Amino acid sequence: MRDMLTNTAMLAIRSHYPQKYYGITSPISLAYPKEEDQILTGNLIEAMKPFGVFEDSEELNHRLVVLGKLNSLVKEWIAEVGEGKSLPRSLITNAGGKIFTFGSYRLGVHTKGADIDALCVAPRHVERTEFFQAFSEKLKQQGGVKALRAVEDAFVPVLKFKFDGIEIDLVFARLTLQTIPDNLDLRDDSRLRSLDIRCIRSLNGCRVTDEILHLVPNIENFRLTLRAIKLWAKQKGIYSNVLGFLGGVSWAMLVARTCQLYPNAVASTLIHKFFLVFSKWDWPNPVLLKQPEDSNLNLPVWDPRVNPADRFHLMPIITPAYPQQNSTYNVSTSTRAVIVEEFKQGLVVTEEIVSGKADWSKLFETPLFFQKYKHYIVLKATASTEAHHLEWIGLVESKIRVLVGNLERNDFITLAHVNPQSYSGIKDHQNQDEYICQWFIGVVFRKVEHADGVSIDLTDDIQAFTDTVYRQASNINMLKDGMTIEATHVKRRQLHQYLPAEVLLKKKRSLPDVGRNSSGSHSKRASLDGSSLDSSRENDAGTPFCSPTTLHKSSNESPAASEFYRNITPGNKTAASSVERNSSYASPDLCAISAVKPASSSSVCTIPNVFGGNMSPHFTTPPSNNPEVNGIPAVGSCCAVSKRPHSPTLEESPKKLKDMEEVSIGGEKPLPIPSINISRSQVLLVFNGCIM
């Protein structure tokens, strides 16, 4: 009776004071949590603890001490700069300077051993060059600072270092103020006036993070929900902005939007609603936490009414701070398909959890990536020294989405799913002076009707990717002897040649394996993903695509093949295919052909006129049936956009997708991708086989 009276009194109090609404729409539900919701939330916390997502008080205090030391160093350095420029003593004394944090640490969802994203804000008399030179030297003099590295040519220039064991990424912003007070509010748009674009980019991280925290109704519920969603995304292999999935800020905004729609719900309910909302979201309609505002500073913002490129973004999630940007610019057709499928699976699992048919550990199980597809492309980056290796794999990884985009644009490929986790390979199969990193891309081929066989040429797709990487490395003077890239097509049963047994024999699991790569060592870059493989073995190798001959020796050439002619019918289009005999690059079961690709269906993009409402691009395409491929749905009517890793030109048209299924790939012998110097008449066909 007392509990009933208490609940009645609480409801009366709540109804007396109108609740504040967040977001661009009113909430879906204002329901308050029930006792079973609180119990489920407690169970969620216990299920997450083994994964190391919570720091203890000692670790948290250590981070605060390190940030305090760094803040003091910044103030000392700014005063020294002022003295060197003979500024008035009063100005030097009050110049200030401050360290702000952003990212997962500022949101309060960082994990054990995670780095800290920080911003150094300085007054107007401090130059950016002084930050990367004088302050960098000051840091080197500190006993606790190690592995200091300046990355001045990055999109957002940064100092990377370890301070008393804590990894810190420090960016710099110079404001137009004479002094930097300790109570400075960076959310004020006027702070951006007359700033260098690099400073605006540096400030953006803090401004977005602070804005997110101001736009959620309950910060603690938001934080616990975000911890769970980030853990789930890492386990499912869809947490990687650089590879075209979603990064930390994107996941934070999706969770924040869920909190706005269910402002009184606790974490267990919010997770279920998260999957309910976004498994049914009509992409590419944008996710917005608030109505975009114009601060009249003439900075470029995301606006599909004005910017043609913005109309082709596939999964827009818009940052709430000015200048508003799409945080998911790198998302491609394949990565969106994978993410949406995981949303749907997450909804199924959370419904089982809510109904008592499963526990939270099921949500955090890792998928069987190496059982999911029949065909894979293995991308291997090699360097001769450890220092070169770290630089090289960073560049190669940042360009993998270019390869995925190239594969997506191939008329015979419907899905290219890259696994964010990298692997070091089998030590017995590599030289002692080689440092190797491997990525795996699952490939699904389009159904080709009314044909006995089909050959698929990936020469240009792979070559364009390697050209991009080598060109970028050359432009920034990174390219060194021994740096090579090799891409190889393999079947599922051949993966044992590239991965150790302990990786391949892993079963579906939800065991904590946070922040470790395949060799067992800690890695900030490694994501969470399980792997499993059937135990079949073959002696044949895959189909390698090698680095340019100017940097890397090409593979052995294959014997010649007989000349023949075939007609293939991709979809409902008929393309005549002729095969040229090539004694240098053909083999008995892989034959070079020159196929006429089917024409892409036309499309029309219409621009909506209500900002903040329905702002998605609308495409007019002929109707088609799009069944699921390997458990992943093909792009449907709401997703009928061009296969691409980035915004296309206006002349590009979305590709029409027909009935899809895998193509059985024949030809087990290795064949090299030709180097840059090889003529088109010598280009080989990568895949040749029969329809399943």
Side-chain angles (χ1 to χ4, degrees):
M1 179 64 69
R2 180 177 300 175
D3 292 340
M4 292 178 61
L5 291 174
T6 302
N7 292 336
T8 302
M10 291 298 296
L11 289 173
I13 294 173
R14 290 166 179 166
S15 61
H16 183 71
Y17 296 100
Q19 185 168 358
K20 177 182 177 181
Y21 292 162
Y22 296 81
I24 63 174
T25 63
S26 58
I28 293 177
S29 172
L30 295 175
Y32 286 90
K34 301 177 182 178
E35 183 179 357
E36 51 264 34
D37 299 327
Q38 302 286 6
I39 294 174
L40 278 174
T41 300
N43 294 339
L44 170 66
I45 295 173
E46 293 302 317
M48 292 169 61
K49 284 181 178 179
F51 293 90
V53 297
F54 301 105
E55 275 191 328
D56 57 34
S57 58
E58 182 178 351
E59 293 169 314
L60 289 172
N61 291 334
H62 179 56
R63 289 179 182 270
L64 292 175
V65 171
V66 170
L67 288 173
K69 291 180 180 179
L70 185 60
N71 194 61
S72 299
L73 285 174
V74 165
K75 291 179 181 293
E76 291 177 9
W77 165 66
I78 290 176
E80 292 169 0
V81 173
E83 291 175 354
K85 296 182 178 181
S86 302
L87 296 181
R89 173 55 55 183
S90 60
L91 185 58
I92 295 174
T93 304
N94 299 319
K98 188 175 180 181
I99 290 292
F100 292 85
T101 59
F102 59 98
S104 61
Y105 180 79
R106 176 70 180 93
L107 289 172
V109 295
H110 61 285
T111 59
K112 289 183 178 180
D115 66 346
I116 296 178
D117 295 312
L119 165 69
C120 171
V121 177
R124 64 189 183 191
H125 69 266
V126 180
E127 301 289 340
R128 175 174 293 273
T129 55
E130 294 171 324
F131 172 76
F132 283 100
Q133 294 174 7
F135 186 65
S136 178
E137 288 299 322
K138 188 175 184 66
L139 285 175
K140 289 178 181 178
Q141 297 172 7
Q142 308 303 313
V145 174
K146 298 179 180 179
L148 178 65
R149 183 163 61 99
V151 189
E152 296 187 61
D153 55 354
F155 185 73
V156 181
V158 60
L159 279 179
K160 293 175 172 287
F161 56 94
K162 279 189 175 183
F163 199 163
D164 290 344
I166 303 294
E167 290 188 31
I168 296 177
D169 290 349
L170 185 63
V171 298
F172 174 81
R174 168 185 179 237
L175 301 187
T176 57
L177 303 176
Q178 278 192 333
T179 62
I180 304 298
D182 288 336
N183 61 351
L184 178 67
D185 184 7
L186 295 179
R187 294 176 62 220
D188 186 352
D189 291 348
S190 65
R191 303 299 183 201
L192 303 180
R193 198 175 303 277
S194 303
L195 289 190
D196 177 273
I197 186 61
R198 293 169 296 179
C199 291
I200 293 175
R201 291 171 185 162
S202 297
L203 288 168
N204 192 54
C206 287
R207 286 169 50 81
V208 169
T209 304
D210 289 348
E211 199 67 41
I212 290 174
L213 292 175
H214 280 82
L215 290 171
V216 294
N218 186 303
I219 291 179
E220 292 307 315
N221 289 339
F222 163 76
R223 284 173 171 164
L224 182 56
T225 306
L226 181 54
R227 283 185 185 275
I229 293 300
K230 288 181 66 173
L231 174 60
W232 165 82
K234 290 176 181 178
Q235 292 289 86
K236 300 303 180 182
I238 54 176
Y239 189 105
S240 176
N241 179 61
V242 71
L243 291 177
F245 294 103
L246 304 190
V249 69
S250 298
W251 291 116
M253 288 189 286
L254 292 185
V255 172
R257 185 67 185 124
T258 307
C259 292
Q260 291 178 342
L261 296 173
Y262 301 89
N264 300 322
V266 291
S268 59
T269 304
L270 287 170
I271 293 171
H272 178 220
K273 299 303 183 183
F274 172 91
F275 292 115
L276 177 64
V277 170
F278 294 110
S279 64
K280 302 179 184 299
W281 193 271
D282 187 18
W283 305 105
N285 279 317
V287 176
L288 296 163
L289 296 184
K290 71 174 191 178
Q291 286 291 356
E293 300 172 352
D294 187 2
S295 297
N296 296 319
L297 297 178
N298 295 322
L299 295 175
V301 298
W302 186 87
D303 189 344
R305 302 169 304 174
V306 176
N307 307 316
D310 293 346
R311 303 167 193 170
F312 294 92
H313 291 178
L314 301 181
M315 205 173 186
I317 303 173
I318 311 305
T319 56
Y322 180 84
Q324 298 83 12
Q325 302 294 324
N326 177 21
S327 66
T328 57
Y329 179 83
N330 291 334
V331 169
S332 68
T333 303
S334 293
T335 53
R336 184 180 67 175
V338 173
I339 293 170
V340 170
E341 177 62 20
E342 291 296 344
F343 283 156
K344 294 178 180 179
Q345 293 297 322
L347 177 61
V348 172
V349 172
T350 52
E351 285 179 345
E352 293 179 358
I353 294 172
V354 170
S355 62
K357 298 178 181 178
D359 56 30
W360 288 107
S361 62
K362 186 173 182 179
L363 183 65
F364 304 126
E365 288 179 348
T366 52
L368 303 178
F369 178 81
F370 295 111
Q371 286 185 351
K372 194 169 188 178
Y373 304 103
K374 292 187 177 180
H375 305 284
Y376 295 84
I377 289 178
V378 183
L379 182 63
K380 182 169 70 173
T382 306
S384 57
T385 68
E386 185 175 5
H388 293 167
H389 174 66
L390 293 175
E391 291 183 335
W392 186 232
I393 63 175
L395 176 62
V396 173
E397 184 181 53
S398 71
K399 300 300 180 183
I400 290 178
R401 66 178 185 272
V402 175
L403 174 58
V404 172
N406 294 343
L407 295 174
E408 287 178 342
R409 283 188 288 271
N410 189 296
D411 288 318
F412 297 99
I413 293 178
T414 63
L415 188 78
H417 178 188
V418 58
N419 184 349
Q421 181 163 345
S422 60
Y423 298 86
S424 59
I426 302 176
K427 294 183 178 180
D428 295 340
H429 295 177
Q430 63 189 64
N431 299 329
Q432 291 184 349
D433 58 347
E434 280 187 334
Y435 293 84
I436 293 177
C437 186
Q438 299 178 123
W439 295 268
F440 293 81
I441 303 174
V443 181
V444 178
F445 295 92
R446 186 163 67 90
K447 177 182 178 181
V448 180
E449 299 176 352
H450 310 301
D452 295 332
V454 62
S455 297
I456 303 173
D457 184 1
L458 298 185
T459 303
D460 293 339
D461 301 331
I462 302 297
Q463 199 67 56
F465 164 70
T466 57
D467 289 351
T468 299
V469 176
Y470 284 118
R471 188 184 307 112
Q472 177 74 13
S474 178
N475 290 341
I476 62 177
N477 297 320
M478 179 191 291
L479 197 58
K480 305 291 192 305
D481 291 339
M483 289 183 173
T484 61
I485 315 170
E486 181 179 318
T488 306
H489 160 252
V490 299
K491 291 186 177 182
R492 181 168 58 200
R493 59 181 175 268
Q494 298 169 272
L495 289 173
H496 69 278
Q497 302 172 22
Y498 301 90
L499 293 170
E502 59 267 22
V503 173
L504 296 179
L505 296 178
K506 288 180 181 177
K507 300 299 181 181
K508 197 169 187 178
R509 58 187 173 81
S510 60
L511 297 177
D513 188 22
V514 179
R516 290 182 176 271
N517 58 25
S518 61
S519 62
S521 59
H522 285 282
S523 172
K524 178 183 174 182
R525 296 174 53 256
S527 64
L528 300 171
D529 197 358
S531 52
S532 179
L533 183 68
D534 55 351
S535 58
S536 61
R537 293 288 183 269
E538 284 190 359
N539 294 325
D540 53 335
T543 306
F545 319 98
C546 304
S547 304
T549 53
T550 55
L551 299 166
H552 178 66
K553 291 184 179 180
S554 61
S555 303
N556 294 331
E557 297 173 352
S558 302
S562 303
E563 179 179 1
F564 72 96
Y565 293 88
R566 265 179 221 273
N567 291 330
I568 62 172
T569 310
N572 291 330
K573 305 284 184 180
T574 302
S577 304
S578 62
V579 179
E580 297 181 4
R581 182 173 180 176
N582 189 323
S583 60
S584 298
Y585 291 95
S587 69
D589 47 11
L590 278 97
C591 304
I593 70 172
S594 175
V596 180
K597 294 185 179 180
S600 300
S601 59
S602 61
S603 67
V604 178
C605 180
T606 60
I607 307 306
N609 53 20
V610 179
F611 195 84
N614 182 9
M615 297 190 293
S616 64
H618 301 280
F619 298 95
T620 303
T621 56
S624 62
N625 297 323
N626 297 305
E628 291 189 354
V629 181
N630 283 9
I632 297 177
V635 178
S637 59
C638 67
C639 307
V641 292
S642 299
K643 293 183 177 182
R644 57 164 188 80
H646 52 76
S647 302
T649 62
L650 289 177
E651 288 77 18
E652 290 183 351
S653 299
K655 185 183 299 180
K656 178 179 176 182
L657 302 181
K658 288 292 187 180
D659 295 338
M660 303 173 185
E661 66 180 43
E662 292 186 349
V663 177
S664 175
I665 304 301
E668 304 284 349
K669 297 292 184 180
L671 283 173
I673 275 288
S675 67
I676 293 175
N677 296 325
I678 290 178
S679 64
R680 280 302 306 172
S681 63
Q682 296 174 306
V683 171
L684 61 90
L685 249 280
V686 176
F687 302 134
N688 185 356
C690 301
I691 306 303
M692 292 183 66

